[in-house]
Amino acid sequence: MSSLDVKPLTRIGILLSGRGSNFVAIAESIRAGQLRGVEIAVVISNVAEAPGLEAAARIGLPTAVFVSKGRQRAEHDAQMIACLREYNVELVCLAGYMRLLSPEFVGAFRNRILNIHPSLLPAFPGLDAQEQAFNYGAKAAGCTVHFVDEELDHGAIVVQRAIPVLETDDARTLAARILAEEHVAYSEAIAQVASEEYEIRGRRYVRRMLPG
Ligand code: GAR
């Protein structure tokens, strides 16, 4: 690519199962010109009634549904892989996708899948992470954007944002304040990963310094 060429937009595919507020925050950052260099190619859900799908349709983005309930994981994931390939997706972003991915899926997009999780990993993996942190009595909470590998909530960490747990918090107010951080963290992580100015050393995600 010569210096006059513009790097093509990185095509991202969103996977979601529910509300979709992280997806909407990403779409809004792109629209506002804050998240540059990427475009959303397709929004896929494993739940037909997911409100996030409606939001995607309202924005005018392509959507696809592959209902996962009662289906064998690898077979379901093969359909999603085919769809993502059809849309030339280069980076998969899990935004409240509440189903484990098969090793085949992880292998098909090795180091090209991001997930957001509402805790400071490795603390509180799994479901209801905000409530886990609250009930544990943690004094700090937050969110993590990480690469996805074969283990649950485990891959190299790209971005974390921390907040204090307030004495006035309950599990609901804490979750709401974490969600506000998620909406900032995900766009930041996508921008970094799409720029490709990083390397993964062991478990460590390290940004390469740009010259100048
Ligand atoms: C978010 O809090 C996200 O971090 C969490 O689900 C919620 C989805 O909200 N994901 C996980 O817990 C994954 N382990 P959203 O649908 O409004 O983006």
Side-chain angles (χ1 to χ4, degrees), residues 16-25 51-52 94-99 115-119 121 124-130 142-144 146 152-153 175 178-179 182-183 186:
L16 56 79
S17 303
R19 180 176 57 181
S21 75
N22 274 291
F23 148 63
V24 170
L94 310 186
Y97 183 73
M98 303 309 270
R99 191 173 203 246
N115 180 43
I116 187 151
H117 183 74
S119 77
L121 289 171
F124 313 120
L127 290 176
D128 300 322
Q130 309 94 323
C143 63
T144 303
H146 63 94
L152 177 69
D153 298 329
I178 292 172
L179 190 63
E182 293 184 45
H183 294 165
Y186 218 161

Side-chain angles (χ1 to χ4, degrees), residues 6-203:
V6 179
K7 188 175 178 292
L9 298 178
T10 300
R11 290 173 66 76
I12 66 180
I14 304 273
L15 264 54
L16 56 79
S17 303
R19 180 176 57 181
S21 75
N22 274 291
F23 148 63
V24 170
I26 293 163
E28 181 54 29
S29 302
I30 295 172
R31 194 198 58 76
Q34 289 154 355
L35 173 51
R36 299 206 185 92
V38 305
E39 61 184 341
I40 299 175
V42 64
V43 178
I44 299 177
S45 183
N46 63 325
V47 177
E49 313 75 38
L53 273 179
E54 275 171 45
R58 268 199 305 277
I59 297 170
L61 291 168
T63 60
V65 181
F66 301 103
V67 175
S68 59
K69 203 168 181 191
R71 303 229 9 237
Q72 203 239 334
R73 196 181 308 281
E75 178 195 295
H76 171 259
D77 285 5
Q79 284 190 315
M80 293 203 297
I81 294 169
C83 178
L84 291 163
R85 294 229 162 104
E86 195 179 311
Y87 281 96
N88 296 315
V89 165
E90 303 161 273
L91 180 64
V92 179
C93 297
L94 310 186
Y97 183 73
M98 303 309 270
R99 191 173 203 246
L100 271 179
L101 291 170
S102 60
E104 290 82 1
F105 190 104
V106 175
F109 290 94
R110 174 76 54 200
N111 288 337
R112 303 305 293 169
I113 310 170
L114 293 175
N115 180 43
I116 187 151
H117 183 74
S119 77
L120 297 173
L121 289 171
F124 313 120
L127 290 176
D128 300 322
Q130 309 94 323
E131 204 172 333
Q132 289 186 55
F134 182 78
N135 291 338
Y136 194 87
K139 297 296 184 203
C143 63
T144 303
V145 183
H146 63 94
F147 285 102
V148 171
D149 63 14
E150 280 80 0
E151 290 176 53
L152 177 69
D153 298 329
H154 179 264
I157 291 171
V158 180
V159 167
Q160 286 189 310
R161 288 177 70 90
I163 55 169
V165 179
L166 306 175
E167 300 209 337
T168 50
D169 267 328
D170 55 32
R172 196 182 49 80
T173 59
L174 179 62
R177 290 194 301 111
I178 292 172
L179 190 63
E181 301 301 321
E182 293 184 45
H183 294 165
V184 178
Y186 218 161
S187 289
E188 188 188 328
I190 291 169
Q192 284 187 29
V193 170
S195 77
E196 290 176 19
E197 296 296 334
Y198 68 90
E199 50 196 80
I200 300 175
R201 299 185 200 146
R203 274 204 53 86

